[in-house]
Amino acid sequence: MRVNRAGAGNHRDSRLLAACCAVAGLSGTAGANTSNGYNLPIGVTDMSKALYGLHMEVFWICVGIAVVVFGIMIYSLVMFRQSKGAIADTTMVHSTKVEIIWTIIPVLILVVMAVPAADIILKQEDTRNSELSIRVTGYQWKWQYQYMNAAEGVDFFSTLKQDSNFARQLDSGIDPNTVKNYLLDVDKPLVVPSGTKVRLLLTSMDVIHAWWVPDFGAKRSAIPGYVNELWFKVDPGKEGVYRGQCAALCGRDHGFMPVVVDVRTPDDFKKWVEEQKAALKQAATPLPAPAPLPVVGADASPPKTAQVLN
Ligand SMILES: [Cu+2]
């Protein structure tokens, strides 16, 4: 019994570890530029690259500030220490010049960061001229994708893949490390064309969810009774499968509603849409009426066995 418990504990631990790895490894998807694995993914859209650039710009500004501030602090501590005979200056209680300097410098730094950040925010909000729109609805705990425009009518749910779902169950006995793309795979991914501005219209049918694919630099809340917009355009040549997750704490199974996007060339996407429409048409075709059952009534001739008996 003890052995079993220990085994179950190990499985639980490995499930936890694998879940953490799954989150950390989100960017390890096909065609993605994942920087060095310790940083944000550079991603495969102009937006994700712009976000990465902004992130690095702010990072280096912070490094510069830290070097200057800590440098002056450490220098002062060492050079003007009491053991060297330093005496505190108690006469300087106010300096307008110093106050102006330490107000203007941070304001300039903030402006340097705010200008490119505002530019990116404006671009993120600009959903004009999108070529494909898809309604995305969050549910506890799955996504529904309803296509519009040329793919109007294509409509399906995307849920956690069965192997991950089995492995995640308490005491399942399945080592999550043996499951490919554990908690990051679905039964039916969202399929989109590359080189196309795709607009998502996000909403929810229950609680607040958030659709997030790091490699696209795309993340937005799906709120019940409200429609949020989001757009992305994957660079041509970067076709592949990209993974993300619901990024809002949306309830018990929050960690089990991944987002998987299959980016295909426009031609392959067109073929996929035709296949989906053909499948929908077939599903909508009514089944042939069943053959009528033989009626045994007064007018019907009696069964042969009865004739023999008579
Ligand atoms: Cu969710």
Side-chain angles (χ1 to χ4, degrees):
M1 189 65 182
R2 200 172 273 178
V3 174
N4 284 344
R5 275 176 185 277
N10 284 342
H11 278 302
R12 265 196 295 276
D13 292 347
S14 51
R15 253 199 303 276
L16 237 165
L17 186 69
C20 294
C21 292
V23 173
L26 275 178
S27 54
T29 48
N33 190 340
T34 57
S35 64
N36 53 14
Y38 294 100
N39 206 342
L40 286 181
I42 298 169
V44 290
T45 62
D46 285 347
M47 184 56 69
S48 66
K49 287 171 198 160
L51 288 169
Y52 182 81
L54 177 66
H55 158 71
M56 289 312 294
E57 184 189 318
V58 173
F59 171 75
W60 286 117
I61 289 173
C62 292
V63 169
I65 293 170
V67 167
V68 171
V69 171
F70 287 111
I72 293 172
M73 202 189 279
I74 292 165
Y75 175 81
S76 306
L77 286 169
V78 174
M79 295 305 290
F80 305 106
R81 60 187 189 273
Q82 195 182 25
S83 60
K84 270 189 113 185
I87 298 162
D89 179 1
T90 53
T91 57
M92 194 185 115
V93 288
H94 179 77
S95 168
T96 308
K97 202 194 284 177
V98 168
E99 292 215 0
I100 290 171
I101 291 170
W102 72 34
T103 303
I104 287 178
I105 291 177
V107 167
L108 289 177
I109 293 170
L110 284 176
V111 169
V112 166
M113 292 195 284
V115 169
D119 183 47
I120 287 179
I121 289 171
L122 289 176
K123 280 183 186 150
Q124 280 180 324
E125 296 299 322
D126 185 5
T127 53
R128 289 173 300 173
N129 304 321
S130 59
E131 295 150 274
L132 173 67
S133 294
I134 305 167
R135 294 185 203 101
V136 179
T137 309
Y139 293 82
Q140 285 177 317
W141 289 271
K142 54 183 168 279
W143 296 101
Q144 184 182 16
Y145 298 116
Q146 295 169 293
Y147 287 69
M148 296 158 80
N149 308 112
E152 182 75 46
V154 178
D155 176 353
F156 57 87
F157 284 89
S158 181
T159 51
L160 182 68
K161 213 170 179 187
Q162 285 283 22
D163 51 1
S164 284
N165 201 21
F166 287 139
R168 79 177 179 89
Q169 307 295 331
L170 192 67
D171 297 331
S172 67
I174 303 168
D175 181 359
N177 294 306
T178 61
V179 179
K180 204 179 166 202
N181 296 314
Y182 178 61
L183 300 185
L184 290 175
D185 216 350
V186 292
D187 54 353
K188 212 163 181 252
L190 175 71
V191 179
V192 295
S194 59
T196 306
K197 187 170 181 175
V198 180
R199 178 177 66 141
L200 302 186
L201 299 163
L202 291 143
T203 190
S204 167
M205 288 299 280
D206 38 47
V207 299
I208 297 176
H209 300 272
W211 196 91
W212 176 42
V213 177
D215 284 317
F216 296 172
K219 179 183 165 194
R220 192 133 298 187
S221 295
I223 302 167
Y226 193 84
V227 178
N228 261 339
E229 285 185 303
L230 164 75
W231 72 270
F232 60 86
K233 185 176 181 177
V234 178
D235 296 344
K238 291 287 182 186
E239 292 81 13
V241 176
Y242 297 93
R243 298 176 198 281
Q245 283 180 314
C246 174
L249 288 169
C250 59
R252 191 193 65 200
D253 286 358
H254 148 70
F256 310 121
M257 52 182 295
V259 174
V260 180
V261 185
D262 183 356
V263 182
R264 301 187 183 185
T265 59
D267 284 345
D268 285 350
F269 175 73
K270 226 180 245 177
K271 272 185 221 157
W272 177 82
V273 170
E274 279 160 19
E275 282 167 19
Q276 300 303 305
K277 285 189 173 176
L280 280 170
K281 212 173 169 184
Q282 200 179 0
T285 309
L287 291 170
L293 290 168
V295 179
V296 180
D299 298 329
S301 52
K304 272 186 178 176
T305 46
Q307 282 176 348
V308 172
L309 284 171
N310 285 340

